[in-house]
Amino acid sequence: MTRVEALGYLGLRVKSLDDWEVFATEILGMTASRQEIDGEAALVLRMDERAHRITLRTGDDELDYVGWQVSGPDALDEVAAALDEAGVAYKDDAELAELRGVRRLLTCRDPAGYALEFHYGPTMTQQPFVSPTGARFVTTTPDGADTGLGHVVVVCDNVEETTEFYQRVLGFKLSDHIIPVPGMLLTFLHTNPRHHSLAVAPIYGDGQGGINHFMVEVDDLDVVGRALDKVHQRKIRQLATLGRHTNDKMLSFYVQSPSGFGVEYGTDGLLIDEKTWSVVTYDASAYWGHVFDPA
């Protein structure tokens, strides 16, 4: 069984780098730098000692790639072997690894068509991370285990095939399910003690595939509250009110990013203990709050 360690980074295509720079720094509390990557203007976001966690380039407001970190070269070889066994085409891309600032990188697409980048050896920068809002992002457990940048939620029309790929081929573990409305089953998967690094949702009603949201976690409820105040003050669309999730216990709110998809901003997320964990299905996504599309 292969082992993906954590959600290492995300790549997004966005229509406005300027709007994202304001949103990421003044609302989310990340730092941002303008760079040129492979001949394109890019906005690179940091939230800890990593040289980058989210990279944005100009495009159509969509998920560009998902970077899944593994522990080292042996683990990456295991991923390659698992992809070979499953008949999944991939590329061992040295040039792209250099662009991403990692030691080695494999690329493939999952059954839903999303671009994946399995890598090890991310660059740690000498320059300390200092949030412009005082945020301290949770990317490890208290004892130092890597939990990654947060989680990402994608929507597709082949949920069963996609989740089977992540579990059977890549070794992700099932956390639980939520049925937020009748006929809609959400599947949550983890790779480390964070409750989930990936969730997969079906296309529902008139919706379409793509990224639904990504989540980042901070270590202080007051940071969440101050960010929410700024959302209200600047009249940014709030996608869901402050609330507490049933499954990962995250205390969070959802805000519409400049690209239209959501960002969940929260604190106090659950850590899974594999020795005692069992899979359940919740009949609601929140114990309280999280009213979606509030008036």
Side-chain angles (χ1 to χ4, degrees):
M1 186 69 72
T2 59
R3 182 62 176 171
V4 169
E5 190 173 42
L7 176 58
Y9 57 74
L10 290 174
L12 303 171
R13 290 285 184 171
V14 305
K15 291 178 181 174
S16 175
L17 295 179
D18 291 339
D19 289 347
W20 263 96
E21 184 169 7
V22 173
F23 177 76
T25 57
E26 298 184 12
I27 303 299
L28 303 182
M30 300 178 183
T31 60
S33 62
R34 297 290 182 127
Q35 300 180 20
E36 184 175 299
I37 298 178
D38 202 21
E40 292 185 83
L43 184 68
V44 176
L45 306 181
R46 289 183 60 204
M47 50 191 287
D48 57 8
E49 72 273 24
R50 301 293 175 91
H52 67 98
R53 283 296 195 175
I54 301 175
T55 300
L56 305 103
R57 293 179 292 171
T58 303
D60 291 329
D61 288 329
E62 61 188 359
L63 183 61
D64 194 8
Y65 53 83
V66 181
W68 293 110
Q69 178 184 313
V70 302
S71 59
D74 290 344
L76 197 59
D77 287 341
E78 290 179 1
V79 170
L83 293 174
D84 276 330
E85 185 177 353
V88 177
Y90 66 90
K91 181 180 180 182
D92 196 331
D93 197 326
E95 183 177 348
L96 189 57
E98 184 174 355
L99 285 175
R100 299 286 190 261
V102 300
R103 299 304 301 170
R104 185 177 162 212
L105 183 150
L106 307 178
T107 65
C108 76
R109 289 192 178 270
D110 70 12
Y114 296 109
L116 310 182
E117 298 183 358
F118 304 99
H119 62 277
Y120 78 87
T123 299
M124 314 290 269
T125 182
Q126 181 184 27
Q127 186 67 28
F129 170 74
V130 181
S131 168
T133 65
R136 293 184 300 270
F137 291 94
V138 177
T139 58
T140 64
T141 64
D143 61 2
D146 197 334
T147 57
L149 77 84
H151 71 238
V152 62
V153 178
V154 296
V155 180
C156 63
D157 60 3
N158 58 343
V159 171
E160 186 173 345
E161 180 185 8
T162 298
T163 55
E164 181 183 2
F165 166 79
Y166 282 98
Q167 293 176 86
R168 180 177 58 83
V169 178
L170 299 177
F172 283 52
K173 296 183 179 180
L174 179 62
S175 301
D176 46 40
H177 299 283
I178 294 178
I179 303 176
V181 294
M184 184 180 185
L185 182 72
L186 309 181
T187 301
F188 298 83
L189 303 172
H190 65 276
T191 68
N192 57 61
R194 187 185 293 280
H195 176 273
H196 61 283
S197 295
L198 174 68
V200 184
I203 294 175
Y204 188 77
D206 296 328
Q208 57 186 6
I211 180 172
N212 177 272
H213 73 270
F214 68 83
M215 184 282 300
V216 292
E217 182 179 1
V218 295
D219 69 352
D220 187 342
L221 178 58
D222 288 339
V223 173
V224 176
R226 287 193 291 268
L228 185 55
D229 278 350
K230 289 179 183 177
V231 168
H232 292 318
Q233 291 162 5
R234 300 185 186 195
K235 301 187 185 309
I236 302 172
R237 185 184 176 200
Q238 189 177 349
L239 298 179
T241 60
L242 187 69
R244 175 82 74 178
H245 275 307
T246 50
N247 63 345
D248 70 354
K249 318 307 179 192
M250 188 76 69
L251 180 60
S252 63
F253 69 90
Y254 291 72
V255 60
Q256 181 173 285
S257 75
S259 293
F261 54 77
V263 175
E264 183 183 2
Y265 199 75
T267 191
D268 199 27
L270 175 71
L271 295 177
I272 283 178
D273 182 348
E274 291 289 356
K275 298 188 295 293
T276 59
W277 190 255
S278 60
V279 176
V280 299
T281 301
Y282 292 92
D283 63 0
S285 63
Y287 289 118
W288 58 268
H290 283 163
V291 177
F292 284 87
D293 291 319

